[in-house]
Amino acid sequence: MKGTTGRRRTTLVVTLALIAGLGATAPTHADGPAHPFRDPRLPVDRRVEDLLSRLTPDEKISLLHQYEPAVPRLGIKAFRTGTEALHGVAWLGRTTVFPQAIGLASTWDPALIRQVGSAVGDEARGFQQERPAGWGLNLWAPVVNLLRDPRWGRNEEGYSEDPYLTGSLSTAYGTGLTGGDPDHLKTAPTLKHFLADNNEVRRDTTSSELRPRVLKEYDEQAFKPAIEADAATGVMSSYNLVNSRPNTVNPALDDTVRSWTSRDLLNVTDAFAPGNLTGSQKYYGTQAEADAAALKAGIDSFTDNDTDPGPTTAAIKSALSTGLLKEKDIDEAVGHILAIRVRLGEFDPGGGPYGGIDASVINSTAHRTLARRAATEATVLLRNDGTLPLRKSGSAAVVGPLSDTLYTDWYSGALPYAVTPKDGVAAELGAPVAGSEGVDRIALKDTATGRYVTAGNGDAGAALRETADSGAGTRFDVFDWGSGIVTLRSAANGKYVGYNGSGFVNDQAQPNGWFVQQQFALERQSDGTYLLRYAGYETGESWWTSPVYLGPARIDGTLGLVGKDKAAHYAKDVVRDGTAEAVAAVKGKDTAVVVVGSMPAINGREAHDRTDMALAPSQEALVRAVRAANPRTVVIVENSYPTTLGALQKEVPALLWTSHAGQETGHALADVLYGDANPAGRLTQTWYRSESDLPSILDYDIIKSDRTYQYFEGKPLYPFGYGLSYTSFRYGELKRVPDGYEVAVTNTGRRTGDEVVQLYVHQRTSRDQQPLKQLKAYSRVSLKPGETKTVRLALRTPDLAHWDVTRSKWVVETAAYDVMVGSSSADIRARTSLKVRGEIIPPRDLSRTTRAENFDDYRGISLVDESKADGTAVRATAEESWLKFADTLLEPGPDGFAARVAGAAGTVEVRLGSPTGTLAGTAHFEGTSSPYAYETVKAPLTAAAKGRRDVYLVLHGDLRLSTFSLR
């Protein structure tokens, strides 16, 4: 640790032997425990120092792996980092499953989210008595990566595209997980994934390029609040690179993250990421070099090689023996780990203040109630022509592929029970309701043999084979998830068909697994037949070499993978028309409720981004058919990301969105549909009209590429912060008060409802491009009909700061600011202006050494690692590569240019006014043997280089530019 606590600890290393001797002979208190590290009356630092002094070098090294072994001679139990707890405790059994993180965020209710975090923390503690495999109190949650691009496969795991909203909600969730007392941790939450991790495609080798403003104003601001508020106890480094340096060795883990708090943090790697440094990333030649670099960068715990610590231990010992690491480096990392374990109460009598929490809290009545409330508050009303709320006296049918099932995601716990949308409506009405999943039931007949694909009818299913049988075993329900992907559920036993490595079996309750093996594509041929293609996620991996088409592969007719030339051609017989069945179910009913959406294991998830954001074609067709049959159609979109609904969102009377909202989904939706709850969820992302509104998912420069509501100048489908209500609200005048603003909000409707009051600012004039709007405060407030409340929203002058690249510091400029308040970023109800007396950013002084990364604009460049340890340089990547340094004062006129460059030979031109403007000088570079070996090149400047000008550096050749000056 490079913070205060860490520096203090390293200075004490030389005295540890003395401390150990004193502690061993006499405890600090006469009635205290045998060793000071077990005395809860002592400060954390003293306890850590004592325990650290008692550990042997080998014992210390053993604690650096995710699976920390017991130290029996000191009575210390084993410890493990990494219990998943994103929206409930995961992978340990049946626990309360809350809405996905994107759903929780849609509540815009930090108080509620803190309660959810507290419940999750309790349930994590509830497992401590039994310690099942995978148990631990170091929780890997919440995910605070910004939802910059809705195509990100892990969109469901994050909160928002906005850093302020993300920071406030993650602080609330983390505070609940910790218990709110940093000295006594209920659990130890770890923020994921540091840093700028928002794409899954080639996630271990792609580089997220962050210019300083994006880094400081955007990505870091998602992580800072929870750390600063002691609501998180560390971060997990992400797989990706930032500016060409793997995040596993990102020096910001120490230099930046630890500067946000005076407390010890426990930073961990993502799973197998240390091995990537020598594997896919090829950043270091040996694991000893790699692990040493990670430790020095700020990593404390290595998540590598599953439960086997051997390779990590060997690498660390090798690094010590060769001088890559020193003992103080080990002590520092181990000290961070032990500080968290002390605060968790591990060494306290009875396990500390939270040690008595037992399994009775898991899925308790209180937590079930909280899950229902969270799912209800998270529901967003997108459209309503007056159809909602529904009358409880009316009849209803609930149809659609998600109408009578609940899906879980990769980081979900096991559902203790499931209330589906159909269940919820039936419970609300007190009677069964008509329904249909609206999917086709088909039979597949081999046109060459006349034999049918047949599945097993037992609970475990059986290998698919072709037989002469044409009974129930040949029936499959086809679920369309878009992009040509379908799943096949056997009518014989209700289980999904999947690949098991050798054949195909109908044995899964729902699509699942790291490689989702229940995916297929029905490829129509010119003769009207179909090929059945296996489309499991592993088929997209570079190591996949098997064929992907299905056909009889064994003498008994069992289906296996064959080449396309041997694939069976199947006739697809529609045994039951799903759309027709759904239409029949809704005819004559007072209301038709259609539930469509995604399957979390298929429509994008960890390791797989989305290729589109549209509803599956058959789902969209189903909605239109139901709407034609019953004009009072309500559509529920249940998924984890913004959806490009096209014209559909205008064609239906009412439209709701929810995430996959856990065990209480059905009750929550029914509460909203029938008016027991007034919807107040708000979108935390921009919903775009088309993928064409978005640049490459690998483009992280939100400023230049006009990303998120802050910079997007197009017309979204639904704006950030959007959501409707069953009542209406009137806003009064926005008034300035100490440290903020206040506004009177009145419920002008006939129903009690919650309004989410949102405050945005815009800086009218600036040296730099400013966001169109920026969220700075919000408040969810409940109002009865006719009731008025004065809502106070904090806004301080420092909140208006942005990053000044000319001086590498935060600055509040002298300017006029628009202050706006409303119910979304696009629905502003009141506004005022604020004149701020701050700074005027002076002209650039390029006579001082200037980092090339601190440009104002650019073309044809990438940001790269200056060295493997630290620093960022600029690399030319195109014929026309240039950097702009705006508003530079060249007085008196400089007569020379100097630059530090590395890599291939090339030139750096100094031009004035534009990339093709007056040429003031050219520096020639002969190249170096390494991209990390820098040389200084110089060139004279012409007399034209004077005055107040925009200076451009035009780069030619595959060179790297680190710093430069004009003198």
Side-chain angles (χ1 to χ4, degrees):
M1 172 175 169
K2 300 300 189 288
T4 305
T5 304
R7 286 195 298 270
R8 184 170 65 250
R9 176 167 295 123
T10 54
T11 62
L12 289 171
V13 170
V14 295
T15 69
L16 289 178
L18 176 59
I19 293 173
L22 292 174
T25 57
T28 303
H29 304 283
D31 58 348
H35 299 313
F37 78 84
R38 292 198 177 277
D39 190 343
R41 294 169 295 186
L42 294 177
V44 173
D45 279 2
R46 173 68 192 279
R47 298 174 71 182
V48 170
E49 288 157 4
D50 175 69
L51 179 50
L52 196 61
S53 73
R54 299 178 188 283
L55 296 171
T56 68
D58 283 351
E59 287 168 343
K60 292 175 187 177
I61 292 172
S62 74
L63 300 183
L64 297 177
H65 189 262
Q66 178 187 20
Y67 288 84
E68 301 175 26
V71 185
R73 67 183 184 83
L74 294 174
I76 296 174
K77 294 182 178 181
F79 184 86
R80 175 187 182 273
T81 63
T83 296
E84 300 293 351
L86 185 58
H87 53 110
V89 180
W91 306 356
L92 297 183
R94 296 185 184 277
T95 57
T96 309
V97 179
F98 294 94
Q100 292 174 308
I102 183 67
L104 291 174
S106 299
T107 68
W108 291 61
D109 191 342
L112 170 66
I113 290 178
R114 179 170 178 169
Q115 291 180 54
V116 172
S118 182
V120 176
D122 284 347
E123 297 201 8
R125 277 280 179 177
F127 284 101
Q128 68 180 324
Q129 311 300 342
E130 299 176 359
R131 285 186 165 226
W135 171 87
L137 292 177
N138 172 240
L139 306 187
W140 287 354
V143 171
V144 299
N145 295 113
L146 294 165
L147 305 184
R148 165 196 65 97
D149 194 308
R151 295 168 298 188
W152 185 36
R154 303 181 75 169
N155 198 84
E156 66 203 29
E157 298 182 35
Y159 289 133
S160 173
E161 68 183 38
D162 181 77
Y164 176 80
L165 183 59
T166 294
S168 67
L169 298 179
S170 59
T171 298
Y173 191 70
T175 301
L177 291 175
T178 66
D181 176 1
D183 290 324
H184 301 93
L185 296 170
K186 182 191 297 184
T187 64
T190 302
L191 303 181
K192 299 199 297 185
H193 311 81
F194 191 83
L195 180 72
D197 179 19
N198 193 218
N199 65 273
E200 297 303 292
V201 57
R202 304 188 305 280
R203 62 180 180 167
D204 59 326
T205 56
T206 55
S207 178
S208 306
E209 296 188 16
L210 303 181
R211 60 197 281 195
R213 281 194 64 196
V214 176
L215 171 67
K216 294 295 182 183
E217 297 174 22
Y218 193 64
D219 285 280
E220 284 185 358
Q221 294 310 305
F223 286 84
K224 183 179 180 180
I227 297 290
E228 198 170 46
D230 292 323
T233 59
V235 301
M236 171 190 284
S237 60
S238 55
Y239 289 118
N240 60 294
L241 298 81
V242 165
N243 298 345
S244 295
R245 180 181 296 107
N247 273 328
T248 310
V249 292
N250 188 337
L253 291 164
D254 244 355
D255 301 340
T256 301
V257 176
R258 286 196 161 104
S259 73
W260 296 332
T261 179
S262 61
R263 293 188 176 272
D264 284 281
L265 299 177
L266 165 54
N267 293 336
V268 306
T269 74
D270 209 335
F272 298 97
N276 290 342
L277 291 169
T278 55
S280 60
Q281 294 165 344
K282 297 180 174 58
Y283 205 67
Y284 295 101
T286 68
Q287 202 60 47
E289 292 176 280
D291 286 4
L295 206 69
K296 286 185 172 182
I299 290 296
D300 305 305
S301 179
F302 292 81
T303 315
D304 209 9
N305 301 292
D306 288 324
T307 61
D308 180 12
T312 297
T313 299
I316 296 296
K317 288 182 176 179
S318 174
L320 275 170
S321 66
T322 56
L324 293 171
L325 287 174
K326 295 179 178 170
E327 188 175 352
K328 70 176 183 178
D329 298 318
I330 307 299
D331 285 347
E332 195 161 304
V334 174
H336 298 150
I337 296 167
L338 295 179
I340 300 302
R341 294 178 66 170
V342 166
R343 291 160 64 192
L344 283 167
E346 180 180 346
F347 309 125
D348 292 357
Y354 300 107
I357 299 176
D358 61 25
S360 64
V361 301
I362 298 172
N363 192 38
S364 65
T365 300
H367 291 179
R368 294 181 181 194
T369 301
L370 184 62
R372 181 171 181 168
R373 180 187 165 197
T376 302
E377 284 200 23
T379 304
V380 182
L381 180 61
L382 297 175
R383 176 177 170 81
N384 187 23
D385 70 352
T387 298
L388 294 178
L390 304 175
R391 293 181 294 108
K392 294 183 183 180
S393 59
S395 60
V398 184
V399 301
L402 282 80
S403 63
D404 204 23
T405 190
L406 296 184
Y407 289 118
T408 55
D409 60 47
W410 179 250
Y411 288 106
S412 289
L415 292 170
Y417 59 88
V419 183
T420 69
K422 184 182 175 187
D423 293 336
V425 171
E428 187 72 35
L429 298 181
V433 297
S436 166
E437 291 177 305
V439 300
D440 288 346
R441 178 166 288 181
I442 67 170
L444 296 171
K445 182 171 69 174
D446 190 328
T447 57
T449 65
R451 296 163 72 86
Y452 287 89
V453 176
T454 307
N457 57 15
D459 190 59
L464 266 61
R465 67 185 70 238
E466 288 189 4
T467 71
D469 177 31
S470 60
T474 65
R475 309 296 194 250
F476 298 92
D477 297 329
V478 183
F479 291 80
D480 177 14
W481 300 113
S483 300
I485 299 299
V486 301
T487 52
L488 302 174
R489 187 181 65 194
S490 171
N493 67 352
K495 298 292 185 70
Y496 286 85
V497 175
Y499 184 60
N500 64 8
S502 60
F504 295 88
V505 181
N506 58 317
D507 63 351
Q508 297 299 308
Q510 66 172 253
N512 63 88
W514 182 255
F515 294 112
V516 183
Q517 297 170 322
Q518 293 78 38
Q519 300 182 92
F520 299 89
L522 285 164
E523 296 183 350
R524 195 173 193 278
Q525 305 300 295
S526 59
D527 62 359
T529 64
Y530 290 83
L531 302 185
L532 185 56
R533 177 168 61 86
Y534 171 56
Y537 273 156
E538 68 268 42
T539 62
E541 296 289 332
S542 59
W543 48 261
W544 179 268
T545 58
S546 298
V548 293
Y549 288 92
L550 274 66
R554 299 177 181 86
I555 195 168
D556 64 354
T558 301
L559 294 188
L561 292 172
V562 298
K564 189 173 184 178
D565 59 330
K566 296 181 180 179
H569 285 246
Y570 292 110
K572 185 180 75 171
D573 299 334
V574 178
V575 179
R576 182 194 67 201
D577 186 321
T579 300
E581 184 183 73
V583 165
V586 305
K587 280 185 176 178
K589 301 298 187 297
D590 292 319
T591 306
V593 178
V594 190
V595 191
V596 294
S598 71
M599 200 286 136
I602 292 174
N603 294 105
R605 47 149 289 183
E606 184 170 357
H608 294 274
D609 294 315
R610 269 174 289 284
T611 55
D612 66 69
M613 298 180 291
L615 284 179
S618 68
Q619 293 188 24
E620 189 167 341
L622 174 67
V623 171
R624 287 198 164 92
V626 169
R627 168 79 170 104
N630 189 324
R632 287 180 59 83
T633 292
V634 177
V635 176
I636 297 170
V637 177
E638 185 179 334
N639 65 12
S640 316
Y641 48 89
T643 309
T644 52
L645 296 172
L648 194 66
Q649 54 94 23
K650 293 183 179 180
E651 297 173 6
V652 295
L655 181 63
L656 289 165
W657 175 84
T658 182
S659 71
H660 294 280
Q663 62 205 51
E664 287 286 343
T665 298
H667 281 149
L669 288 172
D671 287 342
V672 172
L673 289 170
Y674 288 92
D676 294 333
N678 193 339
R682 299 291 185 265
L683 300 178
T684 66
Q685 290 177 271
T686 302
W687 281 42
Y688 298 97
R689 294 179 178 274
S690 166
E691 288 83 8
S692 64
D693 288 331
L694 296 167
S696 166
I697 196 172
L698 299 178
D699 184 345
Y700 278 75
D701 189 346
I702 66 165
I703 299 175
K704 193 173 179 70
S705 61
D706 298 332
R707 297 293 274 272
T708 81
Y709 81 95
Q710 292 191 18
Y711 294 97
F712 182 61
E713 296 191 8
K715 185 177 181 180
L717 182 67
Y718 295 113
F720 173 82
Y722 175 85
L724 302 177
S725 171
Y726 294 155
T727 191
S728 55
F729 301 95
R730 182 179 67 243
Y731 284 64
E733 181 183 353
L734 186 60
K735 299 178 180 178
R736 179 79 166 150
V737 295
D739 291 328
Y741 288 83
E742 66 179 25
V743 62
V745 181
T746 303
N747 183 343
T748 56
R750 298 180 179 179
R751 290 178 177 269
T752 296
D754 288 7
E755 172 69 324
V756 179
V757 182
Q758 304 163 39
L759 185 142
Y760 297 87
V761 300
H762 168 68
Q763 185 174 335
R764 292 182 188 172
T765 58
S766 175
R767 178 199 181 276
D768 302 306
Q769 182 180 349
Q770 292 295 325
L772 304 172
K773 290 187 183 76
Q774 265 188 303
L775 181 72
K776 292 296 182 181
Y778 66 92
S779 178
R780 179 165 175 152
V781 57
S782 183
L783 296 166
K784 297 175 182 177
E787 183 180 12
T788 298
K789 288 184 179 178
T790 298
V791 180
R792 194 156 192 166
L793 300 158
L795 182 69
R796 301 171 302 115
T797 300
D799 297 333
L800 302 173
H802 76 278
W803 189 253
D804 174 19
V805 294
T806 72
R807 295 172 295 171
S808 295
K809 58 177 279 189
W810 291 99
V811 61
V812 176
E813 289 184 278
T814 296
Y817 295 78
D818 294 315
V819 183
M820 301 159 279
V821 67
S823 60
S824 82
S825 61
D827 186 4
I828 300 303
R829 305 292 186 87
R831 66 173 66 226
T832 188
S833 62
L834 174 66
K835 292 184 178 179
V836 174
R837 187 175 218 175
E839 294 185 61
I840 296 175
I841 299 176
R844 279 188 184 268
D845 179 6
L846 296 185
S847 67
R848 298 181 299 184
T849 299
T850 299
R851 298 204 63 82
E853 66 177 314
N854 284 326
F855 50 74
D856 291 294
D857 198 4
Y858 62 94
R859 178 181 173 183
I861 63 96
S862 64
L863 294 169
V864 295
D865 49 340
E866 182 178 7
S867 72
K868 290 190 175 183
D870 56 29
T872 296
V874 171
R875 178 185 176 189
T877 59
E879 281 293 318
E880 297 287 331
S881 297
W882 53 260
L883 305 172
K884 177 183 179 181
F885 298 87
D887 190 27
T888 296
L889 183 61
L890 302 173
E891 293 289 347
D895 57 14
F897 168 70
R900 288 186 72 243
V901 289
T907 61
V908 182
E909 297 176 349
V910 180
R911 291 187 177 270
L912 306 177
S914 77
T916 57
T918 301
L919 178 63
T922 301
H924 296 272
F925 174 54
E926 299 300 323
T928 57
S929 59
S930 165
Y932 302 121
Y934 285 84
E935 291 182 356
T936 298
V937 295
K938 297 181 179 181
L941 296 177
T942 67
K946 62 182 179 180
R948 195 163 174 174
R949 311 288 297 273
D950 290 343
V951 172
Y952 287 78
L953 301 185
V954 181
L955 313 178
H956 298 281
D958 185 15
L959 55 79
R960 295 182 176 204
L961 172 62
S962 170
T963 61
F964 70 95
S965 62
L966 278 66
R967 294 173 181 168

